[in-house]
Every structure is written in C-alpha cells, then in structure tokens.
Amino acid sequence: MNEFVGTQGLILNEPLLWERGRQGRTGYSLPTRDVDPAPLDAAVAGEGPDFPDLSEVEIVRHYTRLSQWNYGVDSGMYPLGSCTMKYNPKTNERQAALPGFAGSHPLVPSELSQGALQLIYELEHHLAHVSGLDAVSVQPAAGAQGELAGMLIFAAYHRDQGRPRSKILIPDTAHGTNPASAALCGYKSVPLATGPDGVLTPEDVAALMDEDTAGLMVTNPNTLGLFETHTRAIADIVHAKGGLIYADGANMNAVMGVVDFGKAGIDVLHINLHKTFSTPHGGGGPGAGPVCVTKTLEPFLPAPRVVKTGESYQLSEDFPKSIGKLNAFYGNFGILVRAYSYILSVGTQLKDVSQHAVLNANYIKEQLKDIYHLPFDKPCMHECVFTDKNLESHKVSTLDLAKRLIDYGFHPPTIYFPLVLQGAIMIEPTESESRENIDQFITTMRAIYQEARENPELLTGAPGNTKVRRLDETTAARKPVLRG
Ligand SMILES: *Cc1c(COP(=O)(O)O)cnc(C)c1O
C-alpha cells in the first residue's frame, strides 16, 4: 500500500489555553462607557474565575485546530458497527435551522405552534408506515429511553390485564441497553442463548416462555448483523402464553421498506432517529428513540400526544392509561425536524437505502472472509462481524488491528462487541460509502493482515502516525482531568 488515506500532515502542538495565556491580552473591546461606574456588590465581586487572558486570534486558532483533530463522518469512513455512522445530508441541517423551527419554544400555545405540531403528527405517521406498526410517540430522547418506554408499556399492559409479570427473555445477542431497560422496570432478565447459526430458535424460546414472563426483547437485526428469521414463529409462542414481543429496531438502517414489523408479530419497537434518519451523533447525543406500538398498546403510549381535530393540531393529555411523560416537553424537536426532512427527501427510496447498506456490508464480508475469521458464513444485514481467531497465532489482537486502521486514516470499527464472540470486530459501512472507499477499506484490511504476519509490531505499536499513541483509556474514563 503506498497510498494512505491518513497522513501525518500538519499536526501542531496545542497547549492548554491556561498555558498559552499571557496576562493582559484580551480578545474583545468594549465600547466607551457612557454611565458612571458603580461598585459590584461584594457577594458578586469576590474572587473571579481563573480564566486565562488571550487574544482573539489565539482563541480562534485553538478551537479551529481542536476541531480538525476530530474525526467524523464528514471527514472519512466511519464503519462503527451497531452505530450506523452514515453521512447526514446537509439539507436536513438546513431545515432544522429554519428560524420558525429553531426559535420555537415549547411553552408557546398550540395555536401558534401549528407547524411544529403538524410536523410531529406527520412524522409519527411516517414512522408507523416505515415500521409496519400502528401508532408512534417520538417523545423518547434516545434509543435506550425508547426501550424504557417499551418496557413501561409492557408493564402497564400486563397490569391492565390484571396479571403483572416478573421476568423478561433477553437473547445473548441483544444490545446491552436491553437488559438495563428491563431492569429499570423491575423485570428480571432471563438470558436466551443464540442458536448454532447466530439466530434464536423457536424451541429455545418455547422452553423458557411461561406465564410469569412479560415477553421477549429481541434486537433485530441482531448484534451479529443477522436477521432473526424465526421472529414470526417465536412471536406466536410468546403470544400464546400472553406475552409481548419487543423489537429493538436501532438497526432499522438494514430493513426500511423491506420488513413489516407488525406482520412479523412485533408489539413494540423503537427506532433510533439519530442513527438511521440523519442526525449527526456520537459522543452522547442529542438523539431521539421513537417508540412504535400496535393498536392494542396505543392507549399506553407516553403522553402528551399530538392529536388532530379538523385541520388543527393540539397536545392532548387525555390518555388515562398512558405511561405518562418521559421528558420535560416533547423530546428533542430538532432531531425530529431532521428525520422528517430526511424521510420526505428520500421518499420511496428508503428501501434502496437499506438495500445498499446490506449490499455494502456483504461485499466487505465476501472480500475479507478468506483471511479474517467469519463466525457465521451466511448473508449478513447492515454489518458483518469477524473475530481475531486468525490473528492470534501472530500474537496480535482485535485491538491492535483497530489501532492500526487509524494509521491508514479509517475510524476503527466497533470492537469486542457483541460479547457472545471472542475478539469481535463489527464493520458497518452504511449505504453512503462509494465503491472506491469501500475497496480502499478492504485493501487496507488486507494489507494490515499481511503486516500481522510479517511485521506484527506495526500492529502492536499502532497507531504510529498519530500525535498521541496508545492511550490509557481506562484511567482517562475513571480519573478524568477536566481542568488545566
Ligand atoms: C445504539 C443502540 C441502542 C441504544 O441507543 P441510544 O440512542 O444510544 O440509547 C440500542 N440498541 C441497539 C441495537 C443499538 O444499536
């Protein structure tokens, strides 16, 4: 490989603002005072904060440089499995910034918020259509909060039936947030083992499902990047015992316009707008995790809900069985505008989005499976999962491979997840990458494999081209130093 995507380039040393500051410098000029000075009262005056003195250009350069150290989907390929780091078209940002949306306040009366309410109402209908379910609330502010809403709906439904239940089945390929959300609702998670070909079997579900089990929470496509092919049969087993099926639909990017979750027997599903529907994410938000339900469960959706009477829209609290409010107002509105804009601009091509996402992941899988260990050799969905089994004999690990990718200018994929596999690496190229970019990624992965055999220290010492090398990630998280 003589052509790198990454480069050492102009990497400048960047001291802290406190180190750079010099007493007396200033980055602003105030107009001449035209009133008499008055002393601050003592309580306010006190000791001022320890801010450094800097000129305007020093501040601009400091923050501009820091912003350039950031790697994002706008800088290059970001194949982070389970996270759908796809390109977010700029038109959606533009709509979210329209003054009428960006400046609207949730306390403005509904007569003056008709556009915002209409957008929420229509978005909920579009998402119902995309998921195949009947009713939606866009109130949850993250995928995990959508799960929590779903579990609260499970509990409210069973209470309403007069038969509260205490357990929930959770496959070992579920996303980690699933058992956490169930536990927050007081459910005890019962682990369900994945079958030999990476998906659940109806027999395993039948063996564990009983009348004290509220239902099953299944990530579909699951975290091995595989579609749970027996969902309908499994739903029938769970329903026969009075249980419900929750589908974690954060991986909707693989199945839009292809899978009808209602027909598959799903009762509750959440979608991650910040993954599939064009909101830049990572680093903790903001997000939106709409919860979609069947007609039977609609009365339990979070309130308030946007209702339409004649031609006007209102927020209504009149849902006596509702699980109640999940947020101060109505979720992260800016994210909803982006999703609405994305859905209207992509339209019926949402299906093509999913098909391309799946095609790209399968292409990578086929091009790498002769060298990297592929635990499930069958068609995958939006991501393909390898392990470090073939690297072990060269004394390099998944972590080393991920770090070496940084030297070549790629953001590393998700590693050591899902936990059901040893040394996993999850690659999700998404639909937005071109054939050339994907080929370059494949060539790089093959080159790194060659290095592992001939020059393993290039991997164990990676990254070698970056400003900082291998960081102590645990201490950084456990004992963060947040001030200069
Ligand atoms: C990302 C993800 C979640 C959690 O979503 P957040 O918005 O980060 O809370 C849940 N399930 C799956 C499968 C995911 O990929």
Tab-separated table of all heavy atoms in Angstrom, residues 170-174 192-205 216 218-234 375-381 418 420-421:
chain	number	residue	atom	x	y	z
A	170	ILE	N	-34.267	-12.284	27.312
A	170	ILE	CA	-33.353	-11.427	26.539
A	170	ILE	C	-32.236	-12.285	25.934
A	170	ILE	O	-31.459	-12.905	26.652
A	170	ILE	CB	-32.775	-10.297	27.421
A	170	ILE	CG1	-33.944	-9.508	28.034
A	170	ILE	CG2	-31.840	-9.408	26.607
A	170	ILE	CD1	-33.649	-8.136	28.504
A	171	PRO	N	-32.174	-12.312	24.595
A	171	PRO	CA	-31.143	-13.125	23.924
A	171	PRO	C	-29.727	-12.626	24.236
A	171	PRO	O	-29.539	-11.435	24.526
A	171	PRO	CB	-31.440	-12.933	22.437
A	171	PRO	CG	-32.796	-12.342	22.354
A	171	PRO	CD	-33.062	-11.648	23.649
A	172	ASP	N	-28.749	-13.525	24.136
A	172	ASP	CA	-27.364	-13.104	24.390
A	172	ASP	C	-26.818	-12.221	23.271
A	172	ASP	O	-25.737	-11.660	23.390
A	172	ASP	CB	-26.458	-14.318	24.664
A	172	ASP	CG	-26.544	-15.376	23.581
A	172	ASP	OD1	-27.136	-15.092	22.512
A	172	ASP	OD2	-26.047	-16.501	23.793
A	173	THR	N	-27.558	-12.065	22.178
A	173	THR	CA	-27.128	-11.154	21.106
A	173	THR	C	-27.845	-9.809	21.196
A	173	THR	O	-27.774	-9.009	20.271
A	173	THR	CB	-27.444	-11.738	19.718
A	173	THR	OG1	-28.821	-12.119	19.716
A	173	THR	CG2	-26.571	-12.910	19.388
A	174	ALA	N	-28.557	-9.564	22.300
A	174	ALA	CA	-29.258	-8.278	22.425
A	174	ALA	C	-28.256	-7.171	22.697
A	174	ALA	O	-27.152	-7.421	23.184
A	174	ALA	CB	-30.270	-8.343	23.557
A	192	LEU	N	-31.305	-15.818	27.007
A	192	LEU	CA	-31.746	-16.777	25.989
A	192	LEU	C	-30.555	-16.977	25.049
A	192	LEU	O	-30.051	-16.005	24.482
A	192	LEU	CB	-32.930	-16.128	25.258
A	192	LEU	CG	-33.711	-16.882	24.225
A	192	LEU	CD1	-34.295	-18.154	24.826
A	192	LEU	CD2	-34.850	-15.997	23.713
A	193	ALA	N	-30.114	-18.233	24.909
A	193	ALA	CA	-28.907	-18.476	24.100
A	193	ALA	C	-29.247	-18.469	22.615
A	193	ALA	O	-30.302	-18.950	22.189
A	193	ALA	CB	-28.292	-19.806	24.493
A	194	THR	N	-28.322	-17.908	21.831
A	194	THR	CA	-28.469	-17.910	20.379
A	194	THR	C	-28.265	-19.318	19.839
A	194	THR	O	-27.440	-20.066	20.364
A	194	THR	CB	-27.389	-16.981	19.789
A	194	THR	OG1	-27.623	-15.688	20.308
A	194	THR	CG2	-27.441	-16.920	18.296
A	195	GLY	N	-28.998	-19.653	18.798
A	195	GLY	CA	-28.854	-20.982	18.176
A	195	GLY	C	-27.548	-21.109	17.419
A	195	GLY	O	-26.795	-20.139	17.281
A	196	PRO	N	-27.270	-22.294	16.865
A	196	PRO	CA	-25.966	-22.542	16.219
A	196	PRO	C	-25.691	-21.660	15.011
A	196	PRO	O	-24.540	-21.396	14.693
A	196	PRO	CB	-26.052	-24.020	15.808
A	196	PRO	CG	-27.491	-24.405	15.943
A	196	PRO	CD	-28.132	-23.461	16.899
A	197	ASP	N	-26.735	-21.159	14.338
A	197	ASP	CA	-26.426	-20.312	13.187
A	197	ASP	C	-26.625	-18.814	13.463
A	197	ASP	O	-26.886	-18.035	12.562
A	197	ASP	CB	-27.155	-20.778	11.913
A	197	ASP	CG	-28.627	-20.977	12.163
A	197	ASP	OD1	-29.057	-20.771	13.312
A	197	ASP	OD2	-29.343	-21.316	11.199
A	198	GLY	N	-26.483	-18.427	14.751
A	198	GLY	CA	-26.443	-16.993	15.077
A	198	GLY	C	-27.809	-16.356	15.274
A	198	GLY	O	-27.898	-15.143	15.477
A	199	VAL	N	-28.882	-17.145	15.202
A	199	VAL	CA	-30.219	-16.576	15.448
A	199	VAL	C	-30.962	-17.441	16.470
A	199	VAL	O	-30.565	-18.581	16.754
A	199	VAL	CB	-31.060	-16.457	14.142
A	199	VAL	CG1	-30.437	-15.454	13.191
A	199	VAL	CG2	-31.244	-17.810	13.463
A	200	LEU	N	-32.054	-16.891	17.001
A	200	LEU	CA	-32.835	-17.617	18.015
A	200	LEU	C	-33.607	-18.763	17.371
A	200	LEU	O	-34.024	-18.661	16.215
A	200	LEU	CB	-33.842	-16.659	18.657
A	200	LEU	CG	-33.245	-15.493	19.429
A	200	LEU	CD1	-34.370	-14.575	19.911
A	200	LEU	CD2	-32.426	-16.005	20.619
A	201	THR	N	-33.837	-19.804	18.163
A	201	THR	CA	-34.683	-20.885	17.641
A	201	THR	C	-36.000	-20.887	18.416
A	201	THR	O	-36.014	-20.618	19.620
A	201	THR	CB	-34.014	-22.270	17.802
A	201	THR	OG1	-33.931	-22.557	19.212
A	201	THR	CG2	-32.633	-22.309	17.195
A	202	PRO	N	-37.113	-21.194	17.734
A	202	PRO	CA	-38.411	-21.245	18.417
A	202	PRO	C	-38.386	-22.229	19.594
A	202	PRO	O	-38.976	-21.965	20.633
A	202	PRO	CB	-39.373	-21.714	17.316
A	202	PRO	CG	-38.710	-21.327	16.036
A	202	PRO	CD	-37.236	-21.405	16.283
A	203	GLU	N	-37.633	-23.327	19.446
A	203	GLU	CA	-37.596	-24.338	20.522
A	203	GLU	C	-37.017	-23.747	21.809
A	203	GLU	O	-37.539	-23.994	22.892
A	203	GLU	CB	-36.728	-25.558	20.116
A	203	GLU	CG	-37.228	-26.335	18.900
A	203	GLU	CD	-37.024	-25.589	17.580
A	203	GLU	OE1	-35.984	-24.918	17.406
A	203	GLU	OE2	-37.932	-25.654	16.707
A	204	ASP	N	-35.931	-22.988	21.688
A	204	ASP	CA	-35.314	-22.406	22.884
A	204	ASP	C	-36.261	-21.427	23.564
A	204	ASP	O	-36.302	-21.327	24.789
A	204	ASP	CB	-33.998	-21.693	22.524
A	204	ASP	CG	-32.893	-22.692	22.192
A	204	ASP	OD1	-33.003	-23.852	22.636
A	204	ASP	OD2	-31.946	-22.306	21.476
A	205	VAL	N	-37.023	-20.671	22.750
A	205	VAL	CA	-37.962	-19.708	23.327
A	205	VAL	C	-39.089	-20.471	24.023
A	205	VAL	O	-39.460	-20.166	25.168
A	205	VAL	CB	-38.532	-18.764	22.243
A	205	VAL	CG1	-39.586	-17.836	22.834
A	205	VAL	CG2	-37.406	-17.959	21.604
A	216	LEU	N	-40.568	-11.036	25.328
A	216	LEU	CA	-39.207	-11.209	24.800
A	216	LEU	C	-38.756	-9.868	24.226
A	216	LEU	O	-39.532	-9.159	23.587
A	216	LEU	CB	-39.250	-12.275	23.699
A	216	LEU	CG	-38.054	-12.406	22.776
A	216	LEU	CD1	-36.861	-12.996	23.516
A	216	LEU	CD2	-38.387	-13.291	21.580
A	218	VAL	N	-36.056	-8.528	21.664
A	218	VAL	CA	-35.097	-9.046	20.687
A	218	VAL	C	-34.549	-7.920	19.810
A	218	VAL	O	-35.304	-7.070	19.339
A	218	VAL	CB	-35.758	-10.168	19.834
A	218	VAL	CG1	-37.000	-9.672	19.118
A	218	VAL	CG2	-34.787	-10.766	18.840
A	219	THR	N	-33.249	-7.890	19.650
A	219	THR	CA	-32.636	-6.921	18.745
A	219	THR	C	-32.669	-7.524	17.345
A	219	THR	O	-32.160	-8.621	17.129
A	219	THR	CB	-31.177	-6.638	19.177
A	219	THR	OG1	-31.184	-6.143	20.511
A	219	THR	CG2	-30.524	-5.610	18.283
A	220	ASN	N	-33.311	-6.828	16.414
A	220	ASN	CA	-33.467	-7.395	15.068
A	220	ASN	C	-33.319	-6.306	14.012
A	220	ASN	O	-34.093	-5.362	14.002
A	220	ASN	CB	-34.855	-8.052	14.952
A	220	ASN	CG	-34.910	-9.020	13.798
A	220	ASN	OD1	-33.889	-9.350	13.204
A	220	ASN	ND2	-36.098	-9.478	13.464
A	221	PRO	N	-32.333	-6.434	13.113
A	221	PRO	CA	-31.269	-7.421	13.034
A	221	PRO	C	-30.461	-7.442	14.341
A	221	PRO	O	-30.299	-6.416	14.983
A	221	PRO	CB	-30.398	-6.925	11.880
A	221	PRO	CG	-31.282	-6.036	11.078
A	221	PRO	CD	-32.282	-5.469	12.001
A	222	ASN	N	-29.962	-8.633	14.700
A	222	ASN	CA	-29.276	-8.755	15.984
A	222	ASN	C	-27.848	-8.214	15.924
A	222	ASN	O	-27.390	-7.755	14.876
A	222	ASN	CB	-29.364	-10.198	16.503
A	222	ASN	CG	-28.532	-11.174	15.685
A	222	ASN	OD1	-27.533	-10.809	15.077
A	222	ASN	ND2	-28.937	-12.438	15.680
A	223	THR	N	-27.146	-8.280	17.047
A	223	THR	CA	-25.823	-7.644	17.085
A	223	THR	C	-24.742	-8.465	16.381
A	223	THR	O	-23.594	-8.044	16.327
A	223	THR	CB	-25.388	-7.355	18.536
A	223	THR	OG1	-25.411	-8.580	19.255
A	223	THR	CG2	-26.302	-6.354	19.209
A	224	LEU	N	-25.124	-9.614	15.830
A	224	LEU	CA	-24.181	-10.328	14.960
A	224	LEU	C	-24.388	-9.875	13.513
A	224	LEU	O	-23.783	-10.401	12.586
A	224	LEU	CB	-24.411	-11.840	15.061
A	224	LEU	CG	-24.064	-12.472	16.416
A	224	LEU	CD1	-24.612	-13.892	16.504
A	224	LEU	CD2	-22.564	-12.470	16.630
A	225	GLY	N	-25.299	-8.906	13.330
A	225	GLY	CA	-25.594	-8.420	11.978
A	225	GLY	C	-26.489	-9.390	11.218
A	225	GLY	O	-26.565	-9.340	9.994
A	226	LEU	N	-27.180	-10.277	11.954
A	226	LEU	CA	-28.009	-11.292	11.280
A	226	LEU	C	-29.482	-11.020	11.524
A	226	LEU	O	-29.871	-10.533	12.594
A	226	LEU	CB	-27.653	-12.694	11.801
A	226	LEU	CG	-26.179	-13.082	11.651
A	226	LEU	CD1	-25.935	-14.453	12.281
A	226	LEU	CD2	-25.770	-13.103	10.174
A	227	PHE	N	-30.301	-11.351	10.542
A	227	PHE	CA	-31.737	-11.166	10.689
A	227	PHE	C	-32.316	-12.350	11.453
A	227	PHE	O	-32.006	-13.505	11.168
A	227	PHE	CB	-32.409	-11.038	9.318
A	227	PHE	CG	-33.838	-10.632	9.441
A	227	PHE	CD1	-34.159	-9.322	9.782
A	227	PHE	CD2	-34.867	-11.539	9.260
A	227	PHE	CE1	-35.479	-8.928	9.934
A	227	PHE	CE2	-36.196	-11.161	9.409
A	227	PHE	CZ	-36.498	-9.849	9.744
A	228	GLU	N	-33.152	-12.047	12.438
A	228	GLU	CA	-33.798	-13.101	13.231
A	228	GLU	C	-34.924	-13.701	12.390
A	228	GLU	O	-36.058	-13.222	12.373
A	228	GLU	CB	-34.341	-12.514	14.543
A	228	GLU	CG	-33.264	-12.101	15.526
A	228	GLU	CD	-32.548	-13.291	16.180
A	228	GLU	OE1	-33.011	-14.442	16.025
A	228	GLU	OE2	-31.515	-13.070	16.841
A	229	THR	N	-34.588	-14.771	11.682
A	229	THR	CA	-35.505	-15.312	10.681
A	229	THR	C	-36.750	-15.983	11.273
A	229	THR	O	-37.741	-16.154	10.582
A	229	THR	CB	-34.773	-16.333	9.787
A	229	THR	OG1	-33.786	-16.979	10.588
A	229	THR	CG2	-34.107	-15.664	8.617
A	230	HIS	N	-36.689	-16.378	12.548
A	230	HIS	CA	-37.856	-17.100	13.095
A	230	HIS	C	-38.769	-16.197	13.909
A	230	HIS	O	-39.530	-16.682	14.742
A	230	HIS	CB	-37.378	-18.260	13.982
A	230	HIS	CG	-36.436	-19.180	13.267
A	230	HIS	ND1	-36.831	-19.926	12.183
A	230	HIS	CD2	-35.119	-19.454	13.462
A	230	HIS	CE1	-35.793	-20.627	11.745
A	230	HIS	NE2	-34.743	-20.353	12.500
A	231	THR	N	-38.675	-14.889	13.679
A	231	THR	CA	-39.416	-13.952	14.539
A	231	THR	C	-40.911	-14.262	14.608
A	231	THR	O	-41.509	-14.254	15.680
A	231	THR	CB	-39.208	-12.509	14.046
A	231	THR	OG1	-37.814	-12.272	13.993
A	231	THR	CG2	-39.827	-11.507	14.999
A	232	ARG	N	-41.526	-14.548	13.467
A	232	ARG	CA	-42.981	-14.784	13.459
A	232	ARG	C	-43.330	-16.009	14.318
A	232	ARG	O	-44.231	-15.962	15.158
A	232	ARG	CB	-43.439	-14.965	12.004
A	232	ARG	CG	-44.907	-15.212	11.803
A	232	ARG	CD	-45.744	-13.962	12.024
A	232	ARG	NE	-46.640	-14.149	13.150
A	232	ARG	CZ	-47.593	-13.303	13.512
A	232	ARG	NH1	-47.754	-12.173	12.852
A	232	ARG	NH2	-48.359	-13.551	14.526
A	233	ALA	N	-42.589	-17.107	14.132
A	233	ALA	CA	-42.876	-18.331	14.899
A	233	ALA	C	-42.651	-18.081	16.394
A	233	ALA	O	-43.427	-18.529	17.250
A	233	ALA	CB	-41.984	-19.467	14.412
A	234	ILE	N	-41.592	-17.329	16.704
A	234	ILE	CA	-41.278	-17.028	18.103
A	234	ILE	C	-42.377	-16.143	18.704
A	234	ILE	O	-42.827	-16.356	19.838
A	234	ILE	CB	-39.886	-16.359	18.195
A	234	ILE	CG1	-38.814	-17.402	17.898
A	234	ILE	CG2	-39.668	-15.704	19.550
A	234	ILE	CD1	-37.414	-16.859	17.742
A	375	PRO	N	-17.374	-15.917	11.820
A	375	PRO	CA	-18.023	-16.992	12.585
A	375	PRO	C	-19.317	-17.516	11.953
A	375	PRO	O	-19.633	-18.686	12.104
A	375	PRO	CB	-18.296	-16.350	13.950
A	375	PRO	CG	-18.103	-14.893	13.787
A	375	PRO	CD	-17.278	-14.659	12.576
A	376	PHE	N	-20.063	-16.650	11.257
A	376	PHE	CA	-21.310	-17.123	10.634
A	376	PHE	C	-21.255	-16.812	9.148
A	376	PHE	O	-21.471	-15.676	8.735
A	376	PHE	CB	-22.533	-16.471	11.290
A	376	PHE	CG	-22.630	-16.790	12.755
A	376	PHE	CD1	-22.220	-15.871	13.708
A	376	PHE	CD2	-23.096	-18.035	13.173
A	376	PHE	CE1	-22.275	-16.183	15.056
A	376	PHE	CE2	-23.160	-18.355	14.520
A	376	PHE	CZ	-22.741	-17.426	15.471
A	377	ASP	N	-20.942	-17.826	8.361
A	377	ASP	CA	-20.765	-17.614	6.932
A	377	ASP	C	-22.115	-17.725	6.225
A	377	ASP	O	-22.465	-18.759	5.662
A	377	ASP	CB	-19.758	-18.638	6.375
A	377	ASP	CG	-19.352	-18.275	4.958
A	377	ASP	OD1	-19.832	-17.241	4.445
A	377	ASP	OD2	-18.567	-19.041	4.355
A	378	LYS	N	-22.864	-16.635	6.312
A	378	LYS	CA	-24.160	-16.562	5.631
A	378	LYS	C	-24.447	-15.091	5.370
A	378	LYS	O	-23.740	-14.227	5.909
A	378	LYS	CB	-25.237	-17.203	6.502
A	378	LYS	CG	-25.439	-16.551	7.881
A	378	LYS	CD	-26.244	-17.469	8.785
A	378	LYS	CE	-27.515	-16.814	9.254
A	378	LYS	NZ	-28.285	-17.561	10.221
A	379	PRO	N	-25.454	-14.782	4.545
A	379	PRO	CA	-25.692	-13.363	4.240
A	379	PRO	C	-25.931	-12.557	5.515
A	379	PRO	O	-26.628	-13.006	6.423
A	379	PRO	CB	-26.954	-13.393	3.374
A	379	PRO	CG	-26.962	-14.760	2.780
A	379	PRO	CD	-26.353	-15.664	3.814
A	380	CYS	N	-25.296	-11.388	5.589
A	380	CYS	CA	-25.496	-10.543	6.774
A	380	CYS	C	-26.417	-9.400	6.406
A	380	CYS	O	-26.826	-9.253	5.257
A	380	CYS	CB	-24.153	-10.030	7.283
A	380	CYS	SG	-23.293	-8.955	6.136
A	381	MET	N	-26.737	-8.567	7.391
A	381	MET	CA	-27.585	-7.406	7.125
A	381	MET	C	-26.677	-6.184	6.905
A	381	MET	O	-25.841	-6.217	6.044
A	381	MET	CB	-28.579	-7.211	8.271
A	381	MET	CG	-29.489	-8.421	8.475
A	381	MET	SD	-30.444	-8.835	6.995
A	381	MET	CE	-31.630	-7.519	7.015
A	418	PRO	N	-20.384	-7.958	19.543
A	418	PRO	CA	-21.121	-8.460	20.697
A	418	PRO	C	-20.296	-9.414	21.566
A	418	PRO	O	-19.346	-10.036	21.082
A	418	PRO	CB	-22.291	-9.209	20.061
A	418	PRO	CG	-21.780	-9.642	18.724
A	418	PRO	CD	-20.853	-8.554	18.284
A	420	VAL	N	-20.992	-12.225	22.777
A	420	VAL	CA	-21.095	-13.672	22.542
A	420	VAL	C	-19.920	-14.215	21.751
A	420	VAL	O	-19.728	-15.423	21.684
A	420	VAL	CB	-22.394	-14.073	21.793
A	420	VAL	CG1	-23.542	-14.208	22.751
A	420	VAL	CG2	-22.721	-13.116	20.660
A	421	LEU	N	-19.155	-13.334	21.114
A	421	LEU	CA	-17.981	-13.796	20.361
A	421	LEU	C	-16.721	-13.309	21.059
A	421	LEU	O	-16.714	-12.249	21.677
A	421	LEU	CB	-17.993	-13.226	18.942
A	421	LEU	CG	-19.145	-13.634	18.037
A	421	LEU	CD1	-19.056	-12.855	16.734
A	421	LEU	CD2	-19.097	-15.139	17.759
